[in-house]
Each structure stands twice: as C-alpha cells, then as structure tokens.
Amino acid sequence: PNKMRITICAVGRLRRGPELDLLSDYLDRFNKSGRTLGLGPATVTEVEDKKNLGMTAEADLLNRAIPKGATLCTLDERGQLMSSPDFANQLGRWRDTGTSDLAIIIGGADGIDPSLRDQADFSISFGKMVWPHMLARVMLSEQIYRAATILSGSPYHRT
C-alpha cells in the first residue's frame, strides 16, 4: 500500500502553551491511527522571517521547507470550502494515486505570497473568518486526525 507523509509548513514559531499541546496531541493521534491507512507521519516544519521582510521572504523560506516533489496544498481564505468527509476523501485520493509527500502551507499574518499560491495543486479554506495562524495549525491538525478516523470508520467524527 502507498504511504503518504504530511508536512505542515508554517510561518512562525509555536511557543510552549495550549496551542502547542493541542497540536502535538492531534498529530500524535493521527500518527497512530494513520499508520494502518498508509497515512503519515504528519510533522510540522516552521520557518521564521526573522528580518520581517514580508511575504516574498516567507515564500522563499517556505519553498525550502517543502519536501522535494510534494503535492502542495495551501490554507487560504480563497480556497475551497470542504466538509470534513470531503477533506478525508481528498487525502485518501492523494494517497491512492501515489502521492508520497503532501505539504500543507500556512502563511504568515499577510497570507501566502502569490508566487507560492500559484504553485499550489490544491487550496482549502476554513471559511471567511480570520483565524490566528497558531490556531489554524491546531484546527488543521485536528482535521487531519479527523480525516484518518473517517477513512478508518472510527466513531470519532460523529461525536
């Protein structure tokens, strides 16, 4: 069976605290439940624009963080609104068509540079509301875990 690694490439460092605890918990759960489904591990690669050079500099850093040959999915307000089962099925399709690396990109405060946005194979949105990017990471990790539970038929999704 195919194995698909997931790398969340994000701008900014998540310091110790409740968001990091939640993120770690969901990714741990995903890594355990995804194993039998050919999904994972999921990891986070953080990049920091220390000189505050803006979106273009962030895009350069993100480009370096993306695994070679990865399918690119951006988290973007212009992206597709999806239900959790739709997202789960999309992950399953990528895995089943031989994607070995999926990179999900979360930009900084100003979003994702258009040059990087244009390279994306897919884009998803968490709706029109703006979420703090640290919380977006937690929400994404939860949806990735939820996707694994949906694909495995576990009851988590319905609780």
Side-chain angles (χ1 to χ4, degrees):
N2 295 321
K3 264 230 151 311
M4 184 174 78
R5 291 178 297 271
I6 300 175
T7 309
I8 298 170
C9 301
V11 173
R13 298 253 179 258
L14 192 46
R15 312 267 174 232
R16 268 219 286 267
E19 294 94 346
L20 185 58
D21 293 344
L22 280 167
L23 178 74
S24 303
D25 182 47
Y26 285 125
L27 292 181
D28 285 347
R29 289 200 222 177
F30 169 78
N31 289 338
K32 286 185 190 93
S33 58
R35 208 173 289 144
T36 55
L37 301 165
L39 293 172
T43 54
V44 179
T45 302
E46 297 178 317
V47 302
E48 214 164 7
D49 172 22
K50 289 196 177 78
K51 298 185 183 119
N52 259 344
L53 299 173
M55 274 199 305
T56 314
E58 288 172 359
D60 289 341
L61 292 167
L62 285 166
N63 261 318
R64 275 180 248 153
I66 296 163
K68 291 268 172 288
T71 292
L72 289 193
C73 177
T74 53
L75 207 55
D76 187 338
E77 61 193 14
R78 297 169 203 75
Q80 201 172 323
L81 287 168
M82 302 181 96
S83 68
S84 296
D86 287 344
F87 180 61
N89 290 333
Q90 182 60 55
L91 287 181
R93 268 196 301 279
W94 278 321
R95 174 202 62 198
D96 296 344
T97 52
T99 299
S100 55
D101 274 293
L102 172 67
I104 305 179
I105 298 168
I106 302 177
D110 299 317
I112 297 168
D113 192 69
S115 67
L116 183 53
R117 225 175 38 224
D118 293 345
Q119 291 174 46
D121 299 290
F122 202 80
S123 183
I124 56 174
S125 167
F126 284 157
K128 291 190 185 303
M129 288 182 175
V130 174
W131 296 95
H133 60 285
M134 299 308 176
L135 213 45
R137 276 183 220 190
V138 173
M139 291 160 65
L140 177 61
S141 65
E142 194 278 339
Q143 285 300 302
I144 289 171
Y145 168 61
R146 182 177 295 269
T149 69
I150 290 168
L151 292 171
S152 71
S154 135
Y156 172 83
H157 175 57
R158 293 185 295 282
T159 56

